[in-house]
Amino acid sequence: MSLRLYNSLTRRVEDFQPLDPGRPTMYVCGPTVYNYVHIGNARPYVVFGLLAALLRRRHGAVRYARNVTDVDDKINAAAAAQGVPISTITDRYVAAFREDMAVLGVPAPDVEPTATGHIAQIVVMIGRLIDTGHAYAAEGHVLFSVASFEGYGKLSRRDPDDMLAGARVEVAPYKRDPGDFVLWKPSTGDLPGWDSPWGYGRPGWHIECSAMAEAHLGETIDIHAGGVDLQFPHHENEIAQSECAHGGKPFARYWLHNGMLTFAGAKMSKSLGNIEKIHDLVRAHPPEALRYALLSAHYRQPLEWSDDLIESSVRTLDRLYGTLRDSDVFRALGVLRGHGDPEPQDAAMPGEIEEALDDDLNTPKALAALASIASRARQLRNRLANAADSAQPLQSGIEELANLTAQMRAGGAALGLLQQDPGAWFARGTSEDDDARIQALIEERVAAKRARDFARADAIRDRLAAEGVLLEDTAQGVRWKRT
Ligand code: AMP
Ligand code: ZN
């Protein structure tokens, strides 16, 4: 079995062969922490977190770095707007980000470096780029000279004019070439800053990833990943910085890019305002269903986010957990009737699921394989149940059923799904957290009614009714009770 990945650098699906088969390395561009992240931001972390887990399984170890961008003009603006120190913003939202990732079942990376924790390495790398003629200082800034790197544009394969348009660079007078990008810029007043050979200032965005990848993973790394929106200019610039700082050594051998999550037809993005924050979504929906929804499309394809997608993911998980629960009950009944309880299987990973993941992380195919194992389990259970009416269920049938549910669990584990107790999945109508979720759905319904989206309002009422939650419109607002 061998993993094949689509490499954006070569535009081909390639066999993945790490430099050190005992420990592949992977770097994923992390979030800029100035607000709650949206569900689109979660896509790379869910998908590439799944890849990290797969590599760990296959190779025994992996070194996975996912950074935190904690110095950025958007952070400065948020701190100024709220009248708080910058660290208040970054501390708050890095904690929120980690919490959001944990509830979505995203494994923590092996290293989570911060830009502010690597200013020394950034300064050294910039110094090296100046010494080798790839960067120059001008008016308190340091700029990377794109003309100095022949390979510039090899990842995004744009011609220089397009690159300029894509980068939306302001043509500052101190730039030798309009495409040159900032490595270091001056800081004044309340802005965060550090002393450097080029004056008091702060790093530009791109250099941090080059410096942190080098510090934690070495000069040449196996996999570099992030959203396709980062391909240009961010990743193109990372390549330029790293390869020039390392005497031309390749920076990343496999470049992976996830497609964009869209919402109401456009890329979900803070600047457009068409976002759904994970922080809010997990209060209204089971987080596992959000994860399922993110894995329901191939990672390189666009994925349109919608209420229907969430609802159908909830229903699919209801069916899968229902199969696990019913099979367990059936097994228990078999035991009561004197059949031996089959030893819990040593979770054999279903071959179809491994093959699907090997095929450039084809999660829709893996989910279809999971559904087909579940369907086999349901059919078998029904057959055994019918047989049980007239005679005792067959021991071998019970064993086969136990084997199928063990496969569902093992396949689910590879996808970060189906690891709860079925009872816990179905009991989501009884915990305190669930009260908050119901309240959030009620508020969403009120907002939908206000926006005259009655179809959505009715869908929410029906969904709650199906869970046994009845809504009552009163003069004081909406009351609810469990039936
Ligand atoms: P940012 O904090 O904007 O740099 O985004 C963090 C990560 O989320 C990057 O890997 C982006 O490529 C990714 N990302 C941002 N918006 C979307 C989206 N709508 N769909 C999928 N990935 C996204
Ligand atoms: Zn980056």
Side-chain angles (χ1 to χ4, degrees):
M1 220 164 332
S2 79
L3 174 62
R4 292 173 311 280
L5 295 171
Y6 180 85
N7 186 349
S8 309
L9 189 63
T10 56
R11 303 206 178 165
R12 275 202 309 266
V13 175
E14 296 175 351
D15 276 336
F16 175 66
Q17 274 159 359
L19 283 176
D20 173 1
R23 203 197 63 168
T25 52
M26 175 160 85
Y27 186 93
V28 174
C29 294
T32 307
V33 283
Y34 66 102
N35 203 333
Y36 290 110
V37 297
H38 58 71
I39 190 74
N41 294 130
R43 195 177 194 193
Y45 309 129
V46 165
V47 168
F48 302 125
L50 188 151
L51 174 59
L54 186 151
L55 293 173
R56 209 180 297 282
R57 224 169 42 241
R58 295 286 173 78
H59 296 271
V62 66
R63 190 147 171 85
Y64 169 29
R66 188 188 68 203
N67 73 296
V68 170
T69 298
D70 60 349
V71 52
D72 180 273
D73 289 348
K74 284 182 276 213
I75 298 172
N76 301 340
Q82 296 176 38
V84 294
I86 283 144
S87 61
T88 305
I89 298 288
T90 55
D91 288 352
R92 183 191 299 159
Y93 292 113
V94 80
F97 172 72
R98 290 193 189 119
E99 202 177 297
D100 287 346
M101 292 303 108
V103 288
L104 289 180
V106 173
D110 300 283
V111 254
E112 197 179 34
T114 59
T116 57
H118 292 77
I119 299 296
Q121 290 88 337
I122 289 172
V123 167
V124 168
M125 190 176 260
I126 296 176
R128 223 182 296 152
L129 290 171
I130 294 179
D131 292 346
T132 51
H134 292 290
Y136 55 94
E139 297 181 28
H141 292 74
V142 181
L143 292 128
F144 185 92
S145 162
V146 291
S148 77
F149 179 50
E150 211 186 310
Y152 196 71
K154 67 179 168 183
L155 176 67
S156 52
R157 300 199 192 173
R158 300 182 179 211
D159 70 38
D161 290 345
D162 280 355
M163 283 195 279
L164 216 53
R168 270 181 269 119
V169 280
E170 47 177 294
V171 184
Y174 45 80
K175 284 189 181 178
R176 287 186 194 158
D177 184 315
D180 292 353
F181 59 89
V182 169
L183 301 174
W184 189 263
K185 54 188 168 187
S187 284
T188 50
D190 292 340
L191 294 177
W194 293 263
D195 288 323
S196 82
W198 318 287
Y200 186 73
R202 61 194 193 280
W205 171 34
H206 315 297
I207 191 72
E208 67 176 80
C209 287
S210 287
M212 289 188 272
E214 179 200 77
H216 296 280
L217 307 178
E219 296 189 345
T220 299
I221 64 179
D222 289 314
I223 299 175
H224 193 311
V228 71
D229 56 335
L230 300 186
Q231 198 174 78
F232 184 83
H234 184 56
H235 291 161
E236 199 69 65
N237 292 356
E238 281 188 44
I239 293 178
Q241 297 159 160
S242 296
E243 299 198 349
C244 292
H246 302 143
K249 265 196 212 161
F251 174 39
R253 303 170 59 240
Y254 301 84
W255 281 91
L256 269 55
H257 291 102
N258 64 275
M260 291 293 104
L261 200 82
T262 57
F263 193 42
K267 174 188 166 186
M268 187 181 278
S269 79
K270 283 176 201 149
S271 54
L272 284 179
N274 60 339
I275 63 169
E276 291 215 315
K277 293 175 183 163
I278 300 169
H279 185 76
D280 298 329
L281 281 170
V282 296
R283 279 163 177 72
H285 310 280
E288 192 172 342
L290 305 175
R291 181 178 175 91
Y292 187 100
L294 287 171
L295 295 174
S296 66
H298 188 268
Y299 76 94
R300 284 198 283 123
Q301 299 301 320
L303 171 62
E304 170 69 10
W305 191 253
S306 68
D307 293 325
D308 281 352
L309 176 66
I310 303 174
E311 297 290 329
S312 75
S313 302
V314 171
R315 280 198 302 275
T316 303
L317 284 169
D318 274 344
R319 204 159 50 244
L320 294 172
Y321 273 116
T323 305
L324 289 175
R325 180 192 54 194
D326 295 349
S327 304
D328 288 351
V329 167
F330 193 82
R331 247 170 75 190
L333 270 181
V335 174
L336 278 180
R337 290 178 186 173
H339 290 277
D341 195 13
E343 281 294 299
Q345 298 282 317
D346 207 9
M349 170 72 84
E352 314 92 282
I353 293 185
E354 284 287 30
E355 278 160 32
L357 295 178
D358 270 343
D359 179 12
D360 192 28
L361 308 175
N362 193 333
T363 54
K365 207 154 110 190
L367 293 174
L370 199 57
S372 120
I373 299 167
S375 141
R376 293 209 303 274
R378 277 195 302 277
Q379 280 167 15
L380 176 61
R381 196 203 77 98
N382 291 342
R383 252 195 349 261
L384 293 175
N386 290 337
D389 285 344
S390 49
Q392 295 276 300
L394 299 171
Q395 180 72 26
S396 65
I398 296 181
E399 272 171 23
E400 197 186 332
L401 191 59
N403 183 27
L404 288 171
T405 52
Q407 283 190 31
M408 283 174 69
R409 293 278 196 190
L415 295 156
L417 300 170
L418 298 186
Q419 300 306 293
Q420 298 186 54
D421 188 60
W425 166 263
F426 286 109
R428 60 184 191 275
T430 52
S431 69
E432 262 177 48
D433 273 359
D434 208 55
D435 288 1
R437 181 182 66 84
I438 290 168
Q439 198 54 46
L441 275 173
I442 290 173
E443 279 156 27
E444 196 182 328
R445 178 170 166 266
V446 170
K449 276 168 101 178
R450 217 178 285 135
R452 310 194 66 73
D453 183 355
F454 297 113
R456 175 74 192 136
D458 288 350
I460 293 172
R461 193 199 50 217
D462 293 349
R463 169 170 160 189
L464 288 171
E467 285 182 30
V469 174
L470 279 195
L471 305 187
E472 196 189 340
D473 289 303
T474 73
Q476 287 77 40
V478 181
R479 294 226 186 93
W480 63 272
K481 60 175 184 208
R482 290 197 173 89
T483 54

